[in-house]
Amino acid sequence: DGGITQSPKYLFRKEGQNVTLSCEQNLNHDAMYWYRQDPGQGLRLIYYSQIVNDFQKGDIAEGYSVSREKKESFPLTVTSAQKNPTAFYLCASSASPGNEQFFGPGTRLTVL
Amino acid sequence: AQSVTQLDSHVSVSEGTPVLLRCNYSSSYSPSLFWYVQHPNKGLQLLLKYTSAATLVKGINGFEAEFKKSETSFHLTKPSAHMSDAAEYFCVVKAAYNQGGKLIFGQGTELSVKP
């Protein structure tokens, strides 16, 4: 089946630790995105990548980092610099920038 | 700049009655608009999209939306609610062409369906 997978589904982290969230797609999409969702709020864009080996900051990039070494993969690292990392993280992809985005099932990160 | 406003944070309907979820948009050019649905602890699923073709857009699961430029609205409707429609709904506008396909999300409307 074609789609987007995110792992793990639930993730717990101690304060001060970096953690990496996985996002993989087999849709052959060029563009990939990371969003953060907090209760009662819409999604906010963290980082996006329009093509392999290129990415740009979104609206709330501070405390996060990404890489795009392969077309199908766009991992997100939540660093210890992110002051309030507990949230639901969603990865998305689109065939090209501007087309509709398809979303993964999400990773819920909790900082203990 | 593009933006969307969802006028209701929560809507409650009875099963079998019509659904109306309201969305107003702001855009400096002809917008691309979307409605997404999110069930609890799940990713988002595209319901429908408007990209300057027909103003009445039909989506999945019996939903449709009408683009009204004069009212800057893109309300989502369904003639008869089903229990499985209970979820969070997001109205979304695509940002300007030079922003990498960025989507701008409304705050969401939670739809409850009573038996």
Side-chain angles (χ1 to χ4, degrees):
Chain A
D1 285 339
I4 303 173
T5 58
Q6 292 186 242
S7 61
K9 186 174 178 64
Y10 297 97
L11 187 57
F12 297 90
R13 185 195 97 176
K14 294 182 180 180
E15 279 193 35
Q17 289 181 336
N18 292 356
V19 63
T20 297
L21 282 59
S22 169
C23 177
E24 304 277 332
Q25 54 97 0
N26 61 4
L27 301 168
N28 200 34
H29 284 175
D30 284 324
M32 297 187 74
Y33 308 82
W34 274 106
Y35 293 91
R36 171 183 171 136
Q37 185 178 27
D38 294 284
Q41 298 190 32
L43 278 66
R44 293 181 290 169
L45 183 65
I46 304 172
Y47 268 98
Y48 64 98
S49 168
Q50 300 181 68
I51 199 167
V52 176
N53 292 321
D54 184 61
F55 51 82
Q56 286 79 39
K57 293 181 179 180
D59 298 319
I60 55 166
E62 185 175 352
Y64 300 97
S65 66
V66 294
S67 63
R68 185 85 187 277
E69 298 176 0
K70 298 186 296 183
K71 186 175 186 177
E72 58 270 24
S73 179
F74 191 41
L76 173 74
T77 297
V78 184
T79 74
S80 56
Q82 168 51 233
K83 298 191 184 313
N84 186 20
T86 294
F88 190 49
Y89 290 87
L90 289 155
C91 178
S93 71
S94 64
S96 62
N99 286 18
E100 65 260 34
Q101 294 179 19
F102 296 84
F103 284 79
T107 292
R108 185 166 298 282
L109 172 65
T110 302
V111 175
L112 305 173
Chain B
Q2 287 67 43
S3 67
V4 288
T5 302
Q6 293 183 244
L7 301 174
D8 305 291
S9 59
H10 187 258
V11 170
S12 182
V13 301
S14 297
E15 190 174 22
T17 64
V19 175
L20 170 63
L21 305 183
R22 299 182 295 164
C23 173
N24 286 351
Y25 71 90
S26 173
S27 179
S28 54
Y29 61 92
S30 182
S32 291
L33 293 159
F34 308 83
W35 275 98
Y36 281 86
V37 61
Q38 183 182 34
H39 289 90
N41 293 309
K42 302 289 186 184
L44 277 69
Q45 181 183 21
L46 180 67
L47 278 178
L48 49 82
K49 64 178 179 178
Y50 167 77
T51 54
S52 75
T55 56
L56 182 62
V57 182
K58 294 189 183 299
I60 62 172
N61 300 334
F63 284 95
E64 62 182 36
E66 186 171 8
F67 174 74
K68 291 187 176 181
K69 185 175 181 179
S70 60
E71 300 177 9
T72 61
S73 69
F74 190 57
H75 301 334
L76 182 70
T77 61
K78 183 174 180 178
S80 176
H82 190 272
M83 295 297 291
S84 61
D85 294 329
E88 187 94 19
Y89 291 80
F90 293 97
C91 182
V92 182
V93 65
K94 192 174 72 176
Y97 291 108
N98 61 348
Q99 296 191 46
K102 173 182 172 180
L103 298 181
I104 299 169
F105 286 77
Q107 297 300 303
T109 297
E110 184 180 355
L111 176 65
S112 300
V113 182
K114 298 175 288 186

